[in-house]
Amino acid sequence: MRIFVCVKQVPDTETKIKINSDGNGIDESSIKWIVNPYDEFAIEEALKLKESAGEIRVTAISIGPKKRVTDALRTAMAMGADDGIVIDSEDSLDPYLTAKALSEALKKEDSCDFIFTGKLAIDDNASSVSQYLAEFMGIPHVTVVSSFKGSGGSYTAEREVEGGTKEVYSISGPAVIAANKGLNTPRYASLPGIMKAKKKPLKELTLGDLGLSGADSKVTFSNFELPPEKPPVKFIEGEPAEQAKELVKLLREEAKVL
Amino acid sequence: MAKTFIFCEFNNGKIKKGSLELLTAAKAAGAEITALLIGPGSTEAAPEAGHYGASATFVCDSESLKNYNPMAWSKVVSQTIKNSGCTVFLATSSMTAKDLFPRVAAQLETGIASDCTDLEFNGDTPIAKKPLYAGKCKAQVNFANSPIQMILMRPNQLPIGEPDTGGHCEIKTLSAPEIDDRLKITDVKKGNTDKVDLTEANVIVSGGRGMKDADNFKLLDELAETLEATVGASRAVADAGWVPHSMQVGQTGKTVAPSLYIACGISGAIQHLAGMSGSKVIVAINQDKDAPIFAKSNYGIVGDLFEVVPKLNEELKSVLN
């Protein structure tokens, strides 16, 4: 059985976003890159499946500037993935092109039984690559998955929707599973794991190898803007009862939200 | 004017507000609108799409589509969109839409932008803006190589027009697609709350580490009851298991945009602020006057939330009733 995990490098959640001088992107110069938090749940779920059944090879795959995304792949391999595939691209790719490239790369592999992804990447918040990828691979998808169980070709996934409601799906055969927080608790990479990861095989591809180019994106962003500055906070003084009274008055009469 | 296709969601025979916002915007831009409703009850809800500007409405009113299924739904949706000859597609950025339409976009070989917060029309071209990095910035969406520009808009962003029951809207019935054996929905487990979801809530009362204990969220539940609000939480308390992850607001939780956000005992980590900065009015109650949350707030109370919140609830009850 072969399982693939898609990972992305994103700016750390503590990053302060600065906009480029041309306004058409962000300043990436001082950003600390981390593995997309939702992708960590995807990696963990793939490794759990590997441990529950024999003869499973877990391959991590990523696309983006080679040096940056190789870090994510090494992290996945340090956690336990067997090998990695990097698709090198300096261009910023939209979900369509990302999924197209991933699907072309995966079709070159001998088989594909499951693809695990994060439900979204916390940079562009598109939550689209998993579904594009599933369609390009011709297989079903379930996104926002908070429970995944099963074996031997029959699986059950719970998908979390509004109000904590859960849709329960039965899946047979290959599928894309997009992980939500709560699916599992990702393990930390151990020191021996980190050492071993350095020697695990890493296959390198370019967009050109897949018959694609950076110009194939279908959605781009321009005119970046920061949120408007808030006026300074109005502190409400007094005893709790007075503060409560004054706050309600302001919310009704000044802010007009009650 | 551009042919515009709008996927309308409905509940109890009524089209949801988010869909009415989109019908209103497209009608104001002079678009020729085709609407689509899927699932049992769609025939009953369909005429309302006409009242808000659709000139044709497709329904796929089948019991077999009672529950969402991306494989079955995407087939009927893609074909109908394609046949309509539209160049613009709009839907609310709901959990269903965000799951379904990227797959539809793949079938149509086109681009899609989800979770947009601004929508204007420049002649035939829709200009949408979308928050990035969970709202730390916003950018304009541009389409290329896309036969259909697919835009998913967050609800509560646009005005809703007046219905016009005089016009004519043709209702066309679609036959239901076969369910793909590889993916079947077997059950829907209802959540433990009938409150609106955080992402759609108009008022949110949120708690952080300052709540000290899971049990103390009762205080926020009571306040939320008075305000008809939904309760949220910071990452710290979701990670501590005090509340389910579905209640987490922030960059690794839900991005919210209520009219009123009341943060209780939340210091304001940057990833939390990112997720709630779209709120219209923010109130913070915190013991630490230097907490970063105050810099993002309109109103601040430095004090003990265990004293302030009950007083606030009392005051609201007496004023609102």
Side-chain angles (χ1 to χ4, degrees):
Chain A
M1 197 171 175
R2 282 204 74 183
I3 298 177
F4 293 89
V5 188
C6 305
V7 293
K8 185 177 189 182
Q9 285 287 75
V10 296
D12 185 88
T13 53
E14 296 301 313
T15 304
K16 281 211 164 124
I17 296 296
K18 281 181 249 158
I19 290 171
N20 265 345
S21 53
D22 66 1
N24 287 333
I26 62 161
D27 176 2
E28 296 188 346
S29 58
S30 57
I31 284 177
K32 180 187 164 203
W33 298 91
I34 59 165
V35 175
N36 178 43
Y38 293 105
D39 298 349
E40 292 186 352
F41 303 114
I43 298 167
E44 178 64 30
E45 203 59 23
L47 296 176
K48 275 172 62 187
L49 195 57
K50 180 185 167 75
E51 286 157 1
S52 72
E55 292 300 307
I56 293 181
R57 178 170 153 205
V58 175
T59 303
I61 181 166
S62 188
I63 182 166
K66 190 170 97 186
K67 192 176 169 302
R68 184 190 301 167
V69 302
T70 299
D71 286 346
L73 294 173
R74 292 291 173 203
T75 302
M77 288 189 269
M79 286 169 74
D82 297 293
D83 57 352
I85 302 172
V86 54
I87 307 168
D88 185 27
S89 167
E90 285 303 322
D91 298 288
S92 85
L93 310 178
D94 78 334
Y96 166 87
L97 184 52
T98 301
K100 200 77 174 177
L102 291 171
S103 71
E104 291 303 323
L106 295 186
K107 283 173 188 170
K108 287 178 184 283
E109 300 297 309
D110 50 5
S111 67
C112 169
D113 295 284
F114 270 103
I115 303 170
F116 288 94
T117 62
K119 73 163 181 183
L120 59 78
I122 61 165
D123 50 3
D124 64 3
N125 298 65
S127 55
S128 299
V129 169
S130 313
Q131 302 92 307
Y132 267 118
L133 176 59
E135 178 63 26
F136 293 148
M137 297 296 288
I139 58 178
H141 74 258
V142 184
T143 63
V144 203
V145 171
S146 56
S147 163
F148 183 73
K149 293 192 178 82
S151 60
S154 174
Y155 297 86
T156 304
E158 288 187 8
R159 165 179 144 79
E160 205 168 311
V161 295
E162 283 95 350
T165 294
K166 286 174 180 171
E167 299 171 350
V168 185
Y169 291 88
S170 79
I171 307 156
S172 59
V176 176
I177 302 296
N180 191 20
K181 192 167 184 170
L183 177 61
N184 52 46
T185 308
R187 68 196 67 189
Y188 288 103
S190 65
L191 193 59
I194 294 168
M195 299 310 289
K196 255 196 247 170
K198 290 179 181 161
K199 295 192 184 116
K200 287 181 176 173
L202 184 68
K203 180 173 164 183
E204 294 184 15
L205 295 167
T206 63
L207 271 187
D209 295 338
L210 304 169
L212 299 165
S213 99
D216 294 335
S217 277
K218 292 180 181 293
V219 172
T220 60
F221 298 112
S222 66
N223 304 73
F224 281 60
E225 54 190 77
L226 293 173
E229 282 296 317
K230 282 248 174 205
V233 58
K234 196 179 268 190
F235 280 110
I236 301 166
E237 312 290 342
E239 290 301 307
E242 295 161 13
Q243 289 173 314
K245 207 174 176 94
E246 179 65 11
L247 175 62
V248 172
K249 189 174 164 226
L250 288 167
L251 290 177
R252 279 166 71 90
E253 291 169 15
E254 189 176 79
K256 296 190 167 60
V257 287
L258 288 182
Chain B
M1 183 61 207
K3 285 192 177 174
T4 299
F5 195 101
I6 301 180
F7 175 74
C8 294
E9 297 190 42
F10 59 95
N11 194 9
N12 296 328
K14 300 283 287 176
I15 293 182
K16 287 192 181 177
K17 280 185 180 170
S19 305
L20 296 181
E21 292 175 30
L22 300 175
L23 287 164
T24 302
K27 186 185 175 190
E32 182 187 332
I33 302 170
T34 304
L36 169 65
L37 287 76
I38 293 184
S42 50
T43 309
E44 183 199 347
E48 201 181 3
H51 302 162
Y52 285 87
S55 55
T57 300
F58 288 93
V59 295
C60 197
D61 193 340
S62 165
E63 201 55 37
S64 69
L65 299 176
K66 179 165 170 265
N67 293 315
Y68 168 65
N69 180 319
M71 303 298 278
W73 285 40
S74 62
K75 265 190 238 164
V76 54
V77 172
S78 294
Q79 203 54 48
T80 314
I81 292 176
K82 207 172 202 170
N83 293 344
S84 78
C86 71
T87 54
V88 177
F89 170 90
L90 305 173
T92 306
S93 207
S94 65
M95 290 302 289
T96 297
K98 280 197 283 188
D99 186 78
L100 172 64
F101 291 112
R103 185 158 197 130
V104 170
Q107 290 169 358
L108 298 171
E109 285 283 323
T110 201
I112 186 166
S114 57
D115 264 330
C116 297
T117 51
D118 300 70
L119 178 67
E120 284 173 13
F121 285 86
N122 179 9
D124 274 5
T125 311
I127 310 285
K129 288 184 192 171
K130 174 185 163 71
L132 301 170
Y133 309 96
K136 288 176 187 170
C137 70
K138 202 187 250 193
Q140 182 180 316
V141 177
N142 307 297
F143 289 90
N145 317 311
S146 291
I148 303 168
Q149 310 191 0
M150 298 183 72
I151 295 169
L152 305 184
M153 276 287 293
R154 280 203 203 141
N156 306 325
Q157 308 295 323
L158 302 167
I160 297 174
E162 289 299 317
D164 170 10
T165 51
H168 176 72
C169 175
E170 192 182 353
I171 295 181
K172 302 175 188 174
T173 304
L174 300 164
S175 52
E178 280 182 32
I179 302 292
D180 192 316
D181 277 340
R182 295 175 296 168
L183 184 73
K184 283 183 174 161
I185 189 160
T186 54
D187 193 12
V188 177
K189 296 183 188 169
K190 280 278 160 221
N192 51 7
T193 168
D194 49 6
K195 295 259 167 60
V196 285
D197 196 65
L198 283 168
T199 53
E200 298 169 18
N202 192 42
V203 181
I204 292 173
V205 177
S206 216
R209 243 191 292 246
M211 296 304 297
K212 293 192 177 146
D213 197 326
D215 280 348
N216 293 331
F217 270 76
K218 280 197 298 246
L219 267 183
L220 302 189
D221 289 336
E222 287 162 19
L223 183 60
E225 195 65 40
T226 310
L227 282 164
E228 292 178 31
T230 302
V231 178
S234 70
R235 176 164 74 182
V237 308
D239 283 353
W242 295 0
V243 300
H245 288 302
S246 58
M247 283 173 61
Q248 184 190 328
V249 173
Q251 196 166 10
T252 54
K254 288 181 173 162
T255 306
V256 301
S259 299
L260 175 59
Y261 189 93
I262 304 181
C264 305
I266 293 177
S267 62
I270 189 165
Q271 77 99 22
H272 184 82
L273 300 178
M276 49 72 92
S277 61
S279 310
K280 201 172 136 207
V281 174
I282 297 168
V283 175
I285 303 169
N286 203 301
Q287 260 180 331
D288 175 10
K289 69 171 173 29
D290 295 323
I293 187 84
F294 286 123
K296 291 284 170 190
S297 301
N298 302 76
Y299 304 109
I301 291 180
V302 179
D304 180 354
L305 70 90
F306 295 102
E307 291 179 24
V308 176
V309 170
K311 292 287 178 207
L312 181 59
N313 195 17
E314 266 174 43
E315 178 66 19
L316 284 164
K317 271 187 185 160
S318 73
V319 170
L320 295 177
N321 291 333

